[in-house]
Amino acid sequence: MILVVGSLNMDLVLRVKRLPRPGETVLGEDYQTHPGGKGANQAVAIARLGGKVRMLGRVGEDPFGQALKSGLAQEGVDVAWVLETPGPSGTAFILVDPEGQNQIAVAPGANARLVPEDLPATAFQGVGVVLLQLEIPLETVVRAAALGRKAGARILLNAAPAHALPSEILQSVDLLLVNEVEAAQLAEASPPRTPEEALALARQLRGRAPQAQVVLTLGAQGAVWSGTEEGHFPAFPVRAVDTTAAGDAFAGALALGLAEGQNMRAALRFANAAGALATTRPGAQPSLPFRDEVEALLFGR
């Protein structure tokens, strides 16, 4: 069992001919709504890949909240720990250009009301991996990591969106997952331009998280990792149409691979394939691949 503690958002997606510059207005197509939020996306990614997954988070007592919760349940995610709170659910506003690049702004809504007291120890029982992100209050993330460690689970922190982190959380994670922007902010360095620079940055981050393996994703350049071993995995060649949730597909697949007992190399290859496939379809959760699709890419079918 994997426990995801994190955010649930409704995504309002608008496709545009190009992303606007500061102060500029651009016209787009009719917008679409899709269920999203880093936590919920990663939970759905795990469920579609065949994993058992439990979601702990908050939604508002509004139509979006009901849709988000029922959507997770339909995907096979255990939603017994998804709480409801007065007010709006989290909402994300997403612009996507023809090359699949995006700009995202998030209104946290109910996600900001997920407090440490909302995390009962019973939710962590029987859990092998706890998967965390940073779209909920930081003190709640810290508490979730502590409860997961006490329960004997492996702690995987996807440090997204970019956020300064206290040493307390970095000392308690087993795996730190970041993209190039997040890694640069954590290390107070420039974003890496090559896999070699990314690997050097991953080694630097291990100095701040000595118990953790560090995985740094590079979009079209793949991913690098530094731990007991280290290396670079090139990206699978695909035609990207929308990069929304590609990182969440990667995170969910990585958590599941490790929960299934895959070694780091196999789990990263599995995650790389899931992340690549997620870029080939629009939307957040609608883009997340199923197990047979990932295996077809992995084995060239």
Side-chain angles (χ1 to χ4, degrees), residues 233 254 257 262-271 298:
F233 272 100
L254 181 59
Q262 297 180 24
N263 62 33
M264 197 63 182
R265 287 180 178 273
L268 279 170
R269 188 165 180 266
F270 184 60
L298 284 172

Side-chain angles (χ1 to χ4, degrees), residues 129-187:
V129 174
V130 175
L131 178 54
L132 306 167
Q133 323 79 30
L134 300 176
E135 287 186 337
I136 58 175
L138 188 56
E139 59 268 24
T140 307
V141 176
V142 172
R143 177 64 174 162
L147 287 170
R149 185 163 292 281
K150 186 175 181 179
R154 185 180 295 191
I155 311 301
L156 195 165
L157 174 62
N158 177 205
H163 198 294
L165 293 176
S167 59
E168 179 182 5
I169 185 69
L170 291 172
Q171 298 288 330
S172 64
V173 301
D174 298 292
L175 195 151
L176 177 65
L177 171 61
V178 288
N179 65 19
E180 58 265 55
V181 174
E182 295 148 3
Q185 179 162 326
L186 278 176

Side-chain angles (χ1 to χ4, degrees), residues 2-285:
I2 299 172
L3 173 64
V4 179
V5 183
S7 59
L8 302 92
N9 293 327
M10 187 61 77
D11 293 346
L12 308 181
V13 182
L14 178 65
R15 303 193 71 87
V16 294
K17 291 183 178 179
R18 60 181 177 80
L19 299 175
R21 293 184 292 269
E24 181 184 22
T25 298
V26 298
L27 296 179
E29 303 171 5
D30 290 341
Y31 80 91
Q32 297 177 315
T33 60
H34 301 292
K38 287 187 177 297
N41 291 346
Q42 292 174 15
V44 171
I46 293 164
R48 288 191 179 180
L49 294 170
K52 289 186 175 182
V53 58
R54 178 183 299 160
M55 180 79 210
L56 199 165
R58 275 196 178 275
V59 295
E61 292 178 346
D62 61 357
F64 282 171
Q66 294 302 313
L68 290 169
K69 193 171 180 178
S70 63
L72 283 181
Q74 290 170 13
E75 293 283 355
V77 178
D78 179 353
V79 295
W81 302 103
V82 176
L83 310 172
E84 296 182 8
T85 190
S89 298
T91 309
F93 304 87
I94 303 173
L95 302 179
V96 183
D97 74 9
E99 284 70 48
Q101 295 302 309
N102 59 43
Q103 289 179 346
I104 304 175
V106 176
N111 296 308
R113 297 179 176 86
L114 186 69
V115 296
E117 292 74 24
D118 290 330
L119 310 183
T122 49
F124 293 78
Q125 292 176 357
V127 169
V129 174
V130 175
L131 178 54
L132 306 167
Q133 323 79 30
L134 300 176
E135 287 186 337
I136 58 175
L138 188 56
E139 59 268 24
T140 307
V141 176
V142 172
R143 177 64 174 162
L147 287 170
R149 185 163 292 281
K150 186 175 181 179
R154 185 180 295 191
I155 311 301
L156 195 165
L157 174 62
N158 177 205
H163 198 294
L165 293 176
S167 59
E168 179 182 5
I169 185 69
L170 291 172
Q171 298 288 330
S172 64
V173 301
D174 298 292
L175 195 151
L176 177 65
L177 171 61
V178 288
N179 65 19
E180 58 265 55
V181 174
E182 295 148 3
Q185 179 162 326
L186 278 176
E188 298 181 347
S190 299
R193 294 164 297 179
T194 64
E196 292 76 19
E197 291 181 0
L199 192 53
L201 193 54
R203 293 178 189 133
Q204 184 177 342
L205 288 175
R206 283 198 71 209
R208 295 192 58 197
Q211 299 184 71
Q213 299 199 75
V214 175
V215 175
L216 199 163
T217 59
L218 294 165
Q221 295 189 82
V224 301
W225 89 101
S226 178
T228 51
E229 296 182 83
E230 62 181 28
H232 169 232
F233 272 100
F236 285 87
V238 295
R239 182 181 177 275
V241 299
D242 183 355
T243 57
T244 306
D248 297 327
F250 186 103
L254 181 59
L256 179 58
L258 295 174
E260 290 179 345
Q262 297 180 24
N263 62 33
M264 197 63 182
R265 287 180 178 273
L268 279 170
R269 188 165 180 266
F270 184 60
N272 240 3
L277 286 170
T279 71
T280 65
R281 293 186 285 251
Q285 288 175 26

Side-chain angles (χ1 to χ4, degrees), residues 236 269-270 273 291-301:
F236 285 87
R269 188 165 180 266
F270 184 60
R291 184 85 180 219
D292 59 346
E293 295 175 303
V294 173
E295 291 180 346
L297 182 60
L298 284 172
F299 302 114
R301 294 199 298 270

